[in-house]
Amino acid sequence: MGYLRFLIDNRLFLLAGFLLCFTSSFGQTYFISLFAGEIKTAFDLTDGQWGGIYTIGTTLSAFTMIWAGALTDRFRVRQLSLGVMILLALACVALAMVQTAVVLIFVIFALRLMGQGMMSQLGAVAMSRWFVAARGRAISLASMGFAAGQALLPILFVGLMISIDWRHLWIIAALCVVATIPVMQYLLRQERTPQSMAEDTQSLGMGGRHWTRAELLRHPLFYILFPLILGPSAWGTALFFQQVHLTEVKGWSLGSYVALMPFYTLSSIAFTFITGWAVDRFGVKWIMPFQMVPFGLSFLILAAADTIFMAGVGLVIFGIGQGMQGTATTAFWAVFYGTRHLGAIKAAAAALMVFGSAIGPGITGLLIDWGVDFPGQMVPIAFFYFGGAVLAGLGILRYQRDLPLSASA
């Protein structure tokens, strides 16, 4: 089945996945960090203090995700998304009204938990559970919501920031979330399993069985994959979180740098679709480790970049890694651990990813306060990526032999 026919036949479910991913933007670092300068000024914060607040709030959301993410095993997407989107809208309003740095911690917690955490979790689990034979394509199509948010929202809101107070922009963000609620409820008014997966069909993991989260946490492969799960989240989040600082150090205007985002997004989109096809064609085990290589290369290029053109090259290569990571990692959990307890399993991985997105800004912000600018941190980060790729490759090579024949082919 080609992408177009697949899209037409499953359009309601895929559009729902797209909107879940898109709406997560308002709790994603690349969006929140657009307001870093205004937030630091409003609360008289240094880079390290702002990074510390972001780290604490995001870490709290990571711990909460372990419990909250498992709710996707108990409730339908239609039910759960309604509550999550209402809470996300309220978090946006809260950021528009917050007056103290202490309360700001809890606002960041709510934004990160409901946006990056639960909205992304809902999109990923829905696509992985609703689709089996075309799981890679479903994930890649729904992931266009992330790409659309990254391409459109930074340019739109940076432009609006010229004439509209930053707090008012968060009210606009809340209204955007609220406007999506009736659309989501309409799309999933008869939520069911799509054509690509029979009602009684589920995908088995290693050993031909469904793994529980407790079993996942006792399995060596999960820990072998720590750098692969943690790295893109930690240092990718830091890249967006420190974009104001990065442009200041490099002597680029923020507007020029943000204008590169569509190129980054195009490469992410292209490799999202390529990876989705490759996962369905060759199997996720052959894709997973290689997603780390573009991340490492991009950080080496950005560290050395002295022109906005080279920054664009680095971001395009970073987009390749994002496209691969968003599709391959989501499919991996269903293939290796089964789908019956996928919400709880994905919640454990999501908590680790959210924790990564917490420590990345905190570590890089602290180092900046100590006199090590972000470009100076990029080379060791690049080698972290390369090391994670080797470790993941060895681990997957060891445990892929335990997959059912249908998954290991």
Side-chain angles (χ1 to χ4, degrees):
M1 186 189 302
Y3 264 114
L4 182 58
R5 173 52 55 188
F6 176 72
L7 175 61
I8 293 171
D9 290 347
N10 297 280
R11 58 192 178 279
L12 296 182
F13 301 98
L14 294 170
L15 181 56
F18 175 93
L19 287 176
L20 289 168
C21 295
F22 180 85
T23 310
S24 76
S25 298
F26 300 106
Q28 299 279 7
T29 297
Y30 68 79
F31 185 78
I32 298 172
S33 67
L34 297 174
F35 303 89
E38 286 71 18
I39 291 173
K40 286 189 293 183
T41 299
F43 296 97
D44 192 25
L45 301 171
T46 67
D47 286 292
Q49 290 169 336
W50 166 228
I53 287 172
Y54 201 81
T55 294
I56 294 170
T58 304
T59 300
L60 290 173
S61 73
F63 286 121
T64 308
M65 266 301 295
I66 297 173
W67 166 81
L71 294 175
T72 53
D73 287 332
R74 299 173 54 193
F75 298 96
R76 289 183 178 271
V77 175
R78 188 174 192 266
Q79 299 170 314
L80 198 52
S81 65
L82 175 61
V84 170
M85 294 172 84
I86 290 173
L87 291 173
L88 177 58
L90 290 174
C92 292
V93 172
L95 186 53
M97 301 175 64
V98 64
Q99 297 298 322
T100 67
V102 173
V103 177
L104 181 61
I105 294 174
F106 297 99
V107 175
I108 295 298
F109 158 75
L111 279 173
R112 301 292 281 152
L113 176 61
M114 296 302 153
Q116 185 205 23
M118 287 303 295
M119 293 300 292
S120 299
Q121 168 85 349
L122 282 166
V125 171
M127 294 301 100
S128 296
R129 182 172 284 139
W130 289 345
F131 299 89
V132 174
R135 182 179 287 128
R137 278 170 286 179
I139 293 169
S140 64
L141 286 165
S143 295
M144 291 303 96
F146 294 125
Q150 291 172 332
L152 299 176
L153 293 179
I155 294 175
L156 175 61
F157 276 78
V158 167
L160 291 173
M161 209 179 297
I162 297 173
S163 56
I164 301 177
D165 183 76
W166 71 273
R167 292 183 183 270
H168 295 159
L169 290 178
W170 279 98
I171 299 295
I172 294 174
L175 293 174
C176 291
V177 176
V178 170
T180 309
I181 292 175
V183 180
M184 183 65 62
Q185 293 298 296
Y186 173 79
L187 290 173
L188 298 178
R189 65 193 183 281
Q190 292 181 318
E191 185 180 342
R192 57 179 176 80
T193 304
Q195 298 173 4
S196 57
M197 179 178 177
E199 187 67 32
D200 58 351
T201 301
Q202 295 193 65
S203 177
L204 299 172
M206 291 179 291
R209 62 190 180 88
H210 295 286
W211 292 63
T212 65
R213 182 163 64 188
E215 291 171 331
L216 166 83
L217 295 177
R218 293 194 298 267
H219 193 255
L221 182 57
F222 180 66
Y223 299 96
I224 292 171
L225 294 177
F226 259 36
L228 182 143
I229 301 168
L230 201 67
S233 179
W235 311 125
T237 298
L239 177 62
F240 289 104
F241 187 82
Q242 303 294 359
Q243 59 187 345
V244 173
H245 164 81
L246 178 64
T247 55
E248 290 173 351
V249 172
K250 294 286 189 177
W252 305 325
S253 72
L254 180 60
S256 297
Y257 185 78
V258 169
L260 297 173
M261 290 303 155
F263 298 102
Y264 151 78
T265 302
L266 286 174
S267 67
S268 177
I269 289 173
F271 273 83
T272 295
F273 283 114
I274 291 170
T275 305
W277 169 82
V279 165
D280 291 339
R281 177 67 178 83
F282 302 109
V284 71
K285 65 183 182 182
W286 301 112
I287 311 300
M288 275 283 283
F290 295 102
Q291 71 188 33
M292 298 286 276
V293 176
F295 288 127
L297 290 175
S298 68
F299 269 63
L300 289 178
I301 292 171
L302 286 167
D306 56 2
T307 65
I308 201 70
F309 173 80
M310 288 306 298
V313 172
L315 287 175
V316 166
I317 296 175
F318 185 82
I320 293 172
Q322 286 287 80
M324 296 177 69
Q325 189 258 349
T327 303
T329 305
T330 300
F332 175 83
W333 303 112
V335 171
F336 274 70
Y337 294 97
T339 55
R340 182 172 299 162
H341 308 288
L342 183 61
I345 285 172
K346 183 71 172 60
L352 186 58
M353 292 176 67
V354 174
F355 178 67
S357 68
I359 63 174
I363 292 172
T364 55
L366 186 62
L367 289 173
I368 289 170
D369 279 0
W370 287 351
V372 183
D373 61 30
F374 189 53
Q377 302 173 36
M378 285 181 156
V379 173
I381 290 174
F383 284 97
F384 178 97
Y385 280 124
F386 296 142
V390 173
L391 194 61
L394 293 174
I396 292 173
L397 185 64
R398 160 63 182 84
Y399 288 103
Q400 60 89 24
R401 69 188 68 169
D402 297 331
L403 290 172
L405 290 177
S406 58
S408 59

